[in-house]
Amino acid sequence: MPLMKIDLIKGRSQSEIKEILDISYQVMLKAFHAPQGDRYQIVTQHEAFEMQLLDTGLGFDRTDQVIVFSLITRPRTTEEKKNFYFLLVKELGDKLGIQSEDVMINLTVNTDEDWSFGFGRAQFLTGEL
């Protein structure tokens, strides 16, 4: 945990998608101090017309390489969040050439009682995790 949902426009290669997943996972581990194996990622690919992501008046344009990361996660400190945002954009840029304006990130906070990893049990509450 967190659960990371990644939305992007169709057309990327399988290897590039795998690298996006690997980069975002490694950044999440580092920024949120999560344990190895805490990997829950889902990629959804869209037609270009299905993703309308303007700049909210900040004065930049996005390209067809835009990626939206939506994380459902436990509460994180402001510093952890800022570190995650910075490191994710930096690593995607350094390793894949993705422009910083093409990375949008959203965190939704929930608590331990909001998770069941299987078997119909709340493993954080039962002590299994």
Side-chain angles (χ1 to χ4, degrees):
M1 199 247 351
L3 172 61
M4 189 179 306
K5 296 182 178 185
I6 303 165
D7 291 277
L8 44 88
I9 294 172
K10 289 180 183 176
R12 295 179 190 267
S13 69
Q14 184 176 346
S15 63
E16 187 176 7
I17 292 171
K18 182 182 179 330
E19 186 140 9
I20 290 167
L21 290 168
D22 291 345
I23 289 168
S24 57
Y25 172 63
Q26 291 302 318
V27 167
M28 184 276 300
L29 290 177
K30 183 175 182 176
F32 294 157
H33 313 290
Q36 286 287 333
D38 198 9
R39 189 169 187 168
Y40 303 94
Q41 296 171 301
I42 300 168
V43 171
T44 304
Q45 298 184 64
H46 304 271
E47 298 294 336
F49 69 88
E50 294 177 321
M51 291 182 68
Q52 299 297 315
L53 302 164
L54 299 181
D55 67 349
T56 314
L58 295 172
F60 62 87
D61 294 317
R62 299 186 198 274
T63 73
D64 63 353
Q65 297 299 298
V66 66
I67 306 174
V68 178
F69 291 87
S70 301
L71 283 73
I72 303 168
T73 183
R74 288 174 159 169
R76 306 292 175 179
T77 68
T78 299
E79 286 307 311
E80 287 174 323
K81 292 175 189 177
K82 288 167 57 176
N83 194 33
F84 177 77
Y85 303 153
F86 174 80
L87 289 174
L88 182 58
V89 168
K90 181 180 182 333
E91 292 295 314
L92 290 170
D94 290 352
K95 294 180 179 171
L96 294 174
I98 296 170
Q99 299 176 39
S100 60
E101 61 268 27
D102 278 334
V103 181
M104 184 173 168
I105 305 164
N106 172 292
L107 296 173
T108 302
V109 176
N110 65 13
T111 62
D112 290 352
E113 66 189 31
D114 298 313
W115 293 93
S116 172
F117 293 89
F119 308 105
R121 295 192 302 269
Q123 285 85 355
F124 286 131
L125 302 181
T126 64
E128 295 169 81
L129 286 175

